[in-house]
Structures are given as C-alpha cells and as structure tokens.
C-alpha cells in the first residue's frame, strides 16, 4: 500500500510466513527530493519491527515466544533513466538496532538496473531488475548478486514476481543461494490524499 500527497508518501510493508506468523513490519515514509526528467532521487525513513522466536523460561516452564527487535532506518535512492524502459541507479540503506540482541549496525549499498515493460506478447510484460550489492552487518560483510523478475498482464491487478540472491564473497552466515515467489495485488496507481 502507498498513500501520500505530491512528494511525501507513507508505504507500510507487512511480511508473514505461510503459517501466518509475522516476519517483519515496516512503516516507510518517503520523500521525493528530485524528479527532473531523467534524474530522480528519494529519501526515506522507517521504524521497523522484526519478529523472531526465542526461548522463555519462567518457574522451570520453557516456552517459545515471539520477540520483537526494533530498528530505525534511513535510505537514499538516486536513479537515472537511460531510455524509456531502462534505468540505472544506486540505493543506500543505514539501519540501527534499538534493542539488545538486534543487529546494531547495518549498511547496505547497491548498484542496480531496471529493464521494464519488456513485451512478451500483446498482453504480457516482464520487468527485470539485476543488482550487485555490498552488505555490512555488525562484524560481517559480503558482496552479492540479486535479481528480481516480475510478470504482469496488461489491465490485470495480479502480478507474479521472483527474487534470486547469490553470494559472491561473504563472511556473513546464511545460505549462499536463496529465492522466493511473490503474488502481488495492485489496488491502483492513484494516491489517497492524507
């Protein structure tokens, strides 16, 4: 969802597991710093809530409980349009953990491209967004390649997306290759006045 007026927008994100358990809630506020023809730049901030499981013991009873880590985040996103459906850009995100046990410091910077409106047929279109990024989390860092693929049908509210992510060189623990599939419903492209 995105709601806003002119240059300022509010864009909340809510992610859940297939079992309906919350993963994270983000409450983005974004501002369009520049929108001059081919060059665009936005800045944003959000308070974020990251949900995780933890073991809680009380009077010798042990239970698994949900714990929420809070984050304060800033972002900067410049982009430049090379052609009608091709753009390049950068993205920088800085995050601070507000709770003990949360990641205390995160820096994320990416160089990306966007190839949109790739015609597959009269009704179907695709968008591809490849990027190379650097991630620095507390005491670990690494370089990665990722790409998003989106398939849309003209004048149809549903789209299907997939993201792949592969480690190039990293000392951050986790899987070297991950992917997902997302189904998106678009309510429209009009802003709601606040």
């Amino acid at each position: 969802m995105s709601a806003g007026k002119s240059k300022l927008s509010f864009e909340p994100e809510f992610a859940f597991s297939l079992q309906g358990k919350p993963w994270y809630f983000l409450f983005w506020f974004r501002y369009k710093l520049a929108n001059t023809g081919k060059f665009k730049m936005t800045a944003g901030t959000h308070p974020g809530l990251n949900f995780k499981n933890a073991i809680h013991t009380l009077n010798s009873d042990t239970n698994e409980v949900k714990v929420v880590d809070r984050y304060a985040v800033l972002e900067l996103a410049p982009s430049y349009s090379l052609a009608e459906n091709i753009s390049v850009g950068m993205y920088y995100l800085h995050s601070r953990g507000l709770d003990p046990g949360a990641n205390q410091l995160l820096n994320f910077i990416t160089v990306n491209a966007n190839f949109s409106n790739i015609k597959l047929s009269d009704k179907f279109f695709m968008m591809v967004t490849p990027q190379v990024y650097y991630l620095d989390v507390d005491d670990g860092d690494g370089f990665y390649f990722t790409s998003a693929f989106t398939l849309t049908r003209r004048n149809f509210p549903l789209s299907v997306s997939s993201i792949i992510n592969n480690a190039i060189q990293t000392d951050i623990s986790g899987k070297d290759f991950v992917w997902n599939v997302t189904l998106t419903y678009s309510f429209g492209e009009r802003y709601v006045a606040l």
Side-chain angles (χ1 to χ4, degrees):
M1 181 181 101
S2 179
K5 188 173 183 179
S6 185
K7 293 186 172 191
L8 181 65
S9 64
F10 173 62
E11 303 173 15
E13 292 180 32
F14 306 101
F16 296 89
S17 71
L18 292 175
Q19 294 79 27
K21 296 179 181 179
W23 281 343
Y24 64 83
F25 296 169
L26 308 178
F27 301 96
W28 280 108
F29 292 90
R30 290 190 166 112
Y31 186 78
K32 294 176 184 171
L33 294 171
N35 190 0
T36 56
K38 294 187 174 210
F39 180 72
K40 297 177 182 175
M41 185 178 320
T42 61
T45 186
H46 77 69
L49 305 174
N50 186 33
F51 298 87
K52 64 183 180 182
N53 294 327
I55 302 298
H56 180 263
T57 303
L58 180 64
N59 299 329
S60 73
D61 288 332
T62 301
N63 296 306
E64 188 173 88
V65 296
K66 278 283 183 217
V67 176
V68 179
D69 288 335
R70 298 169 302 146
Y71 292 89
V73 177
L74 299 171
E75 73 172 0
L76 189 62
S79 67
Y80 185 80
S81 179
L82 299 173
E84 183 179 354
N85 298 318
I86 302 171
S87 64
V88 293
M90 294 181 68
Y91 180 81
Y92 175 68
L93 181 135
H94 176 80
S95 172
R96 293 270 180 181
L98 303 176
D99 297 303
N103 291 325
Q104 295 303 302
L105 180 62
L106 181 142
N107 287 292
F108 171 82
I109 188 164
T110 182
V111 176
N112 56 56
N114 186 341
F115 303 92
S116 61
N117 210 23
I118 301 167
K119 186 175 179 180
L120 302 176
S121 71
D122 286 341
K123 294 185 179 181
F124 289 94
F125 296 84
M126 186 173 192
M127 179 173 71
V128 180
T129 310
Q131 59 184 329
V132 175
Y133 67 91
Y134 171 74
L135 178 63
D136 177 21
V137 182
D138 290 337
D139 294 328
D141 68 342
F143 291 91
Y144 300 83
F145 169 80
T146 186
S147 189
F149 306 89
T150 303
L151 179 64
T152 60
R153 181 178 171 166
R154 187 179 302 283
N155 299 321
F156 191 69
L158 292 175
S159 63
V160 178
S161 302
S162 180
I163 298 174
I164 62 168
N165 190 78
N166 194 55
I168 297 170
Q169 183 281 319
T170 185
D171 58 10
I172 299 172
S173 64
K175 295 181 179 179
D176 284 343
F177 179 81
V178 294
W179 65 279
N180 70 14
V181 175
T182 303
L183 183 64
T184 302
Y185 183 86
S186 297
F187 291 94
E189 295 180 1
R190 295 183 320 165
Y191 281 109
V192 176
L194 298 176

